[in-house]
Each structure stands twice: as structure tokens, then as C-alpha cells.
Amino acid sequence: MINNISMVREEIAVSTRTLQWKCVESRTDSKRLSYGRFILSPLMKGQADMIGIAMRRALLGEIEGTCITRAKSEKVPHEYSTIVGIEESVHEILMNLKEIVLRSNLYGTCDASIFVRGPRCVTAQDIILPPFVKIVDATQHIASLTEPIDLCIGLQIERDRGYRMKTPNNYQDGSYPIEAVSMPVRNANHSIHSYGNGNEKQEILFLEIWTNGSLTPKEALHEASRNLIDLFIPFLHGEEEDINLEDNQNRFTVPFFTFHNRLANIRKNKKGIALKCIFIDQSELPSRTYNCLKRSNIHTLLDLLSNSQEDLMRIEHFRIEDVKRILDILQKHFAIDLPKNKF
């Protein structure tokens, strides 16, 4: 009877620690400001703060955003000049371009442009964009043309993460860098509610997320969670490697996990290691190629081998050089080739 009671208590304890999350508040204050409030419970003592700190850092620093990073106009002598027929200075126009909020699945950079004739008010709606880039608020102001003049500006758009200051240059080509603020999450806070007594004390985590409208707070929460999981995957699937300490104090190098090392392990292990446990980020692929594959949901060697060369060429921003690099790596370390077409 006592054993049965203890088993029931253990089952109850386990069930009460089944984590659940919920969106308790969601609102859109404007096109460029969305708010969401989420809860996660029940958590053991100390877990809410640990998760809250990690999620806040991931929300503010690990989520990619799309923004304008450069503007070019051959008629502009320098950044702080003024143009007859335009109310704003060139510097003010660049600051207005910096505030444009974009949404895309872009990798790397792409070009856009503005070609308008005054007199008129120029807004974000006047930007000519590629189809995979969208404007969140088309009413965002850029410049006011007071005379019948042409305004022609070439733009460079980039998807990245974090904040990047513009680098000074001589501006001889009429190209002006814009400080890139690739941070879709404007702010994130967490708070904790504790309940219970003694060893039975549990916690509820509250997460508040504000975004710039390029993605919803729920989308930001999902992406931040995926990014955190990706950071810990090597500890789950990677095998321990020796660290080569150097003579210099506080300096050491950690060798990369390579396809070659994993292949050796597969050959040594009679049972074999599942191909889905060999991740493409452990390969010798350039970061651009790796990110293109990742955006196409190709994360492991198993994912890669399920595609043909023709499939890879359909990936957005993928080039023939990328395919050749992948084929070289597969041939070098695995002695296998991808078929040109699916049969």
C-alpha cells in the first residue's frame, strides 16, 4: 500500500512539472510596434531566471532582421550636403532610410532603388524592391521634393543580426553606408512569480516581447528558441574532442568537428552512426553556402543526400560554385556523389 502511494506521488510530481507555455496578451500598437506576453510553467526554483536571461539575450541578439545598409547617388558631393528642391539634407534622408522596416527571407545582400520626380513626398512605398522583400510600413517618410526634380537613389539591402556601425570611407563613388540595425526585437523583459513552500516551491516565467513589426512576438519567440537549440546541438550529438593548449597563457584552440572525423567514427562503429547526426555545420563549407542550405531546411548529411544537384541549384542565392564545393567535400570524405537529377 505504501509503495502504491509513493508511486502515485511520483506520477503527480512528474505531471505537475510538464512545462506548458501560453500567450496571455497580444496586441499591435502600430505597424512598427507589436507586443506579446507569454508564460511558461511550472518551473523548479531557479529555472525561470535561467531561461528568462537566455531567452532575452537570444531575442535581442540572435534574431536576424532586414534593413537598408547603403545608399548611392552620383549627384551627391558629400553626406552633409543639401540638394536644391529637397527639404531634407542628405544626412536626414539617410537617417530616414535607416528607419525603414523590412521583412524578408533574404540571405546576404540585394539591390533596390528609388526613382521619383517632384514635387511630391517620397515614402517607403516608392522603393522598388525584389519580390522576396516586403515593406512593413509603406507610409514611412524619406524626403520631401518641393520642385520638379528627379530623385534617384540606389539602395543595398542586407539581412543580418545585431547592430553594425557604418565604416568610414572616402565616398568617392557617391555611396554612403547606413548604420545597420538588424534587430527585429525592440525590447524583451522577463519576470518571475513564485508559489508554494519549501521543497515544493515552483515558478512561473513571464516573457514580454516588443517587435518592430517585421515579425510577431510569437514568431520572435519561436526563432529565438530555435537559435538557442542550434547552439546546444553540438553538445548533444558531437563527440568529445581533445583541446590543444598552447604555451601562451589563456590561449587555446579547439579543432572543428569535420566530416572526415565523423566518417572515421562510422567506419569504426559496427552499428554505425545515423546520418542525421552528422550536421553540415561541422563541414568545411563556407558560411554563405552553409546558411543557404540551412534556410532550405538542410541541416544534416541525411538531408543533403536526399537532394540532387538540380535540387541544390534551385536554392535561392545558390551558385554552381556552391554545388561544386559540396560535391568535392562529399567525394573527398565519403567517396559518394549526388545525382544530377532525381530518378
Side-chain angles (χ1 to χ4, degrees):
M1 181 68 178
I2 295 176
N3 290 336
N4 291 337
I5 293 175
S6 63
M7 289 176 63
V8 170
R9 287 178 177 174
E10 288 178 1
E11 290 178 1
I12 293 174
V14 171
S15 64
T16 57
R17 283 196 290 269
T18 300
L19 296 182
Q20 294 182 340
W21 74 278
K22 183 179 180 180
C23 178
V24 294
E25 184 178 356
S26 178
R27 67 173 187 265
T28 301
D29 295 332
S30 68
K31 290 183 178 179
R32 287 180 277 169
L33 182 60
S34 298
Y35 171 81
R37 190 165 183 252
F38 308 87
I39 61 172
L40 178 67
S41 67
L43 295 162
M44 299 176 67
K45 184 177 180 180
Q47 289 181 338
D49 194 45
M50 175 180 65
I51 297 173
I53 292 173
M55 285 301 301
R56 186 177 187 274
R57 288 179 177 270
L59 285 164
L60 294 174
E62 295 296 325
I63 298 181
E64 293 184 342
T66 305
C67 59
I68 300 172
T69 58
R70 187 169 290 272
K72 182 176 182 179
S73 179
E74 297 177 354
K75 298 181 180 180
V76 178
H78 58 83
E79 181 179 351
Y80 295 96
S81 62
T82 58
I83 302 175
V84 176
I86 301 180
E87 288 187 2
E88 294 82 0
S89 67
V90 174
H91 178 73
E92 289 173 329
I93 293 175
L94 294 177
M95 291 301 99
N96 290 338
L97 290 172
K98 176 184 174 180
E99 298 298 321
I100 302 291
V101 179
L102 302 173
R103 179 186 178 102
S104 78
N105 58 356
L106 167 72
Y107 172 78
T109 62
C110 69
D111 295 327
S113 58
I114 299 175
F115 296 100
V116 295
R117 183 170 179 80
R120 58 170 297 181
C121 181
V122 183
T123 65
Q125 187 176 5
D126 296 306
I127 301 176
I128 303 172
L129 293 166
F132 47 84
V133 180
K134 305 297 181 183
I135 296 174
V136 172
D137 184 4
T139 64
Q140 283 183 268
H141 180 75
I142 297 176
S144 297
L145 306 185
T146 58
E147 297 183 13
I149 63 171
D150 294 326
L151 179 64
C152 303
I153 303 176
L155 303 174
Q156 177 181 280
I157 295 174
E158 187 170 352
R159 181 179 173 89
D160 204 344
R161 65 185 180 90
Y163 175 81
R164 187 177 63 203
M165 294 184 64
K166 63 181 181 180
T167 55
N169 58 29
N170 54 18
Y171 308 132
Q172 289 181 355
D173 62 347
S175 178
Y176 299 91
I178 299 174
E179 292 180 351
V181 185
S182 304
M183 300 171 63
V185 176
R186 287 188 170 186
N187 195 14
N189 291 328
H190 81 277
S191 58
I192 303 168
H193 172 71
S194 301
Y195 62 95
N197 296 312
N199 295 331
E200 301 298 326
K201 199 168 187 178
Q202 294 182 328
E203 298 176 339
I204 300 175
L205 172 65
F206 291 86
L207 274 174
E208 292 182 291
I209 303 172
W210 292 262
T211 68
N212 65 358
S214 62
L215 75 173
T216 66
K218 184 179 292 186
E219 289 173 335
L221 183 63
H222 290 175
E223 186 170 339
S225 301
R226 286 196 300 267
N227 290 340
L228 281 176
I229 292 172
D230 288 344
L231 291 175
F232 288 103
I233 279 178
F235 293 109
L236 295 175
H237 300 289
E239 295 184 2
E240 184 179 0
E241 295 283 338
D242 293 331
I243 297 177
N244 298 326
L245 297 175
E246 297 181 353
D247 293 336
N248 295 336
Q249 192 175 12
N250 298 328
R251 291 186 60 190
F252 62 89
T253 59
V254 182
F256 289 104
F257 297 120
T258 65
F259 276 174
H260 181 72
N261 294 335
R262 285 308 186 89
L263 178 60
N265 290 333
I266 290 175
R267 288 172 175 170
K268 290 178 182 178
N269 189 351
K270 293 181 180 179
K271 295 181 180 179
I273 300 175
L275 294 178
K276 66 180 180 180
C277 292
I278 305 177
F279 288 82
I280 60 173
D281 60 349
Q282 298 159 342
S283 70
E284 302 165 357
L285 292 172
S287 57
R288 196 192 72 83
T289 307
Y290 161 70
N291 283 309
C292 284
L293 293 172
K294 185 178 178 182
R295 292 184 191 282
S296 298
N297 292 320
I298 299 176
H299 304 283
T300 67
L301 180 60
L302 183 63
D303 298 334
L304 184 60
L305 296 180
S306 65
N307 289 270
S308 66
Q309 297 179 36
E310 186 179 15
D311 294 330
L312 295 181
M313 285 303 300
R314 293 195 185 101
I315 296 176
E316 190 174 11
H317 304 296
F318 224 63
R319 303 176 300 194
I320 186 64
E321 291 81 4
D322 301 316
V323 177
K324 290 180 178 179
R325 184 65 180 269
I326 290 173
L327 294 177
D328 290 342
I329 291 175
L330 292 177
Q331 182 64 39
K332 177 181 176 182
H333 297 309
F334 292 90
I336 57 176
D337 291 312
L338 290 180
K340 291 186 178 180
N341 304 287
K342 281 191 175 180
F343 296 101

